[in-house]
Amino acid sequence: MYKKILVILMFITLTFTLFLAGCGNTTTGETTLQKAQKTGEIKIGFANEKPYAYKDDNGQLTGEAVEIAKVIFERLGIKKIHGELTEFGSLISGLKAKRFDVITAGMFITPERCQQVAFANPEYSIGEALAVQKGNPKNLHSYEDIAKDSSIKVAVMAGAQEAKILKEVGVKENQIVIVNDQPSAIAELESGRVDAVTMTGPSLQAMLDSAKSDKIERVMDFKDPVINGKVLRNYGAAAFRKEDTDFVKAYNEELEKMKQSGELLKILKKFGFTENELPGDVKAKDICK
């Protein structure tokens, strides 16, 4: 009889423990959103990548993703933001490890990333861009041009989507030079250690404007890569932990209001975006398929 009672008690204890483990916070039962609303504070992960999320000359955190998030967080009752500078390639692992609560770095939504994080709906859409040495000596106008010449080297930021895209159009892995951040990519091009640098259009333009170098230039007639017969277009969004479904829902509701009112476009324009970069009616779930 004693053994039966002991087994029952052990079962009840184990069940209760598993129930608590399934809650957003094992000590309070709060979700990330509830905790942030209660404290009025949140920690975000960013990668110091213009124009998405970076610190300006005064050390203030800004960028299109940050400014959009600030508006939404404030309307959700979260007024104070703490930024956690992280290499782009470590943002998702940092989010999952709870070093911060949201990624506001203009990260592209991809099916692979959707397996690891929950994306809000896109806040912008964008194409790729290419910078080369002055005069474009290698005559590069597309990723396909890079693929045709195995001697050409192209710099890409660690963790960025461009490395995968380059490989999909036939660029060999040994042609791709991985760097820690965008300034490093520009430095590689200026020094001649690579023949090209690729990143998104607004990001590349922001870096070139900042560098003010007479040694490099943007390829203005760059042709967007074509993958599986479709011209590539990327969509960027904030990312949350998988379990933070209430946060994603609340964020999306406020983002939609900003789209409808025109407020989203006003913020995007401050960082070099145009109406062409608006996300339209595309939803994260459509891209995650």
Side-chain angles (χ1 to χ4, degrees):
M1 181 68 178
Y2 174 79
K3 288 184 178 179
K4 288 183 178 180
I5 294 173
L6 183 62
V7 169
I8 292 171
L9 288 173
M10 289 175 65
F11 176 78
I12 292 172
T13 302
L14 177 60
T15 302
F16 185 69
T17 301
L18 290 173
F19 170 77
L20 287 177
C23 296
N25 185 308
T26 57
T27 57
T28 67
E30 291 176 321
T31 65
T32 302
L33 174 59
Q34 290 169 341
K35 182 179 178 183
Q37 288 176 320
K38 185 176 77 173
T39 62
E41 301 181 11
I42 196 164
K43 184 178 285 188
I44 64 170
F46 73 103
N48 211 35
E49 181 185 7
K50 291 183 178 182
Y52 308 105
Y54 61 96
K55 285 191 175 181
D56 63 19
D57 294 338
N58 297 317
Q60 297 299 309
L61 188 57
T62 188
E64 66 80 21
V66 172
E67 296 303 326
I68 291 168
K70 281 180 181 177
V71 172
I72 293 176
F73 289 151
E74 185 166 347
R75 290 173 184 172
L76 293 175
I78 308 164
K79 299 183 183 299
K80 193 169 184 179
I81 294 176
H82 303 282
E84 181 77 18
L85 177 60
T86 304
E87 286 188 4
F88 191 88
S90 300
L91 282 170
I92 288 179
S93 59
L95 177 67
K96 293 171 72 175
K98 298 188 176 182
R99 284 178 50 206
F100 37 85
D101 301 307
V102 186
I103 296 171
T104 58
M107 180 177 281
F108 289 164
I109 305 171
T110 69
E112 294 79 11
R113 288 172 178 161
C114 291
Q115 298 298 313
Q116 302 185 69
V117 298
F119 281 101
N121 287 329
E123 56 204 31
Y124 70 84
S125 68
I126 211 164
E128 301 296 329
L130 197 68
V132 295
Q133 292 173 1
K134 193 73 172 179
N136 198 0
K138 300 289 185 177
N139 198 28
L140 303 177
H141 302 276
S142 66
Y143 285 172
E144 287 81 2
D145 288 340
I146 297 173
K148 291 174 186 175
D149 187 345
S150 60
S151 70
I152 292 173
K153 301 288 186 182
V154 55
V156 178
M157 186 173 66
Q161 179 75 2
E162 283 79 13
K164 180 176 181 289
I165 300 168
L166 284 163
K167 291 176 185 177
E168 287 184 349
V169 300
V171 177
K172 297 180 176 61
E173 190 162 358
N174 63 7
Q175 292 181 258
I176 302 171
V177 178
I178 302 298
V179 296
N180 287 334
D181 51 33
Q182 292 175 327
S184 298
I186 296 298
E188 290 287 297
L189 181 59
E190 284 185 300
S191 68
R193 288 189 289 271
V194 299
D195 304 291
V197 165
T198 183
M199 55 189 82
T200 60
S203 186
L204 179 64
Q205 192 58 53
M207 289 306 304
L208 293 176
D209 291 344
S210 177
K212 295 182 174 63
S213 174
D214 59 0
K215 296 179 181 179
I216 58 180
E217 64 183 32
R218 181 174 178 176
V219 177
M220 298 310 295
D221 59 349
F222 178 76
K223 298 177 182 176
D224 286 320
V226 177
I227 307 294
N228 297 324
K230 295 182 179 180
V231 177
L232 186 66
R233 194 78 181 172
N234 289 298
Y235 294 82
F240 302 76
R241 285 186 285 274
K242 282 281 194 176
E243 62 267 27
D244 289 331
T245 53
D246 61 332
F247 211 159
V248 175
K249 182 175 183 294
Y251 196 95
N252 281 341
E253 288 173 354
E254 294 301 329
L255 179 63
E256 185 61 29
K257 293 175 186 175
M258 293 177 69
K259 288 181 186 177
Q260 297 301 323
S261 69
E263 190 174 10
L264 178 64
L265 180 58
K266 286 182 181 179
I267 294 176
L268 289 174
K269 281 184 173 181
K270 293 178 182 178
F271 297 94
F273 293 78
T274 68
E275 290 184 20
N276 292 331
E277 276 78 54
L278 284 171
D281 295 325
V282 175
K283 306 298 183 187
K285 64 181 181 180
D286 302 323
I287 307 168
C288 287
K289 292 178 181 178

